[in-house]
């Protein structure tokens, strides 16, 4: 995958409260990733990471902090996360 496959990437709290990276995919990328099934093991920098694929998003576990998750999201997407709201 490359940065153009991602619409957004951000650090969020997972179901256990631990930091995860949530990546929102383009329609083309989400169609491709659905072939992997609901979970997959992917390699980041040679290290295995569990990924959950739901609709048009991927959640990656294994980051040590929210700061690390935010940095990884930015590195993968090549951009800052979209604002939470368009209202000022």
């Amino acid at each position: 995958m490359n940065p153009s496959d991602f619409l957004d990437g951000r650090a969020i709290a997972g179901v256990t409260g631990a930091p995860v990276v949530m990546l929102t995919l383009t329609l083309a990328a989400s169609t491709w990733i659905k072939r992997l099934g609901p979970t997959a093991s992917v390699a980041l920098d040679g290290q295995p990471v569990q990924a959950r694929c739901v609709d048009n998003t991927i959640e990656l576990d294994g980051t040590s902090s929210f700061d690390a998750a935010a940095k990884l999201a930015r590195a993968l997407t090549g951009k800052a996360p979209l604002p939470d709201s368009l209202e000022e």
Side-chain angles (χ1 to χ4, degrees), residues 4-5 9-10 19 25-26 29-30 43 45-46 56 62-63 67-68 71 81-83:
S4 65
D5 292 320
R10 63 186 58 234
L25 304 170
T26 64
S30 66
D45 293 331
N56 66 329
T63 53
D67 186 50
K71 287 179 181 176
L82 295 172

Side-chain angles (χ1 to χ4, degrees), residues 7-13 19-24 58-60 66 69-74 77 79-85:
L7 297 173
D8 188 41
R10 63 186 58 234
I12 63 167
V20 299
V21 176
M22 184 179 77
L23 303 166
T24 304
I58 298 173
E59 288 185 6
L60 303 174
F66 284 97
K71 287 179 181 176
L72 178 57
R74 187 173 190 126
T77 64
K79 56 190 162 220
L82 295 172
D84 290 331
S85 172

Side-chain angles (χ1 to χ4, degrees), residues 31-40 51-55 57-58:
T31 301
W32 178 81
I33 207 77
K34 285 179 185 176
R35 294 183 208 153
L36 297 177
T39 60
R52 284 178 303 288
C53 308
V54 179
D55 295 326
T57 64
I58 298 173

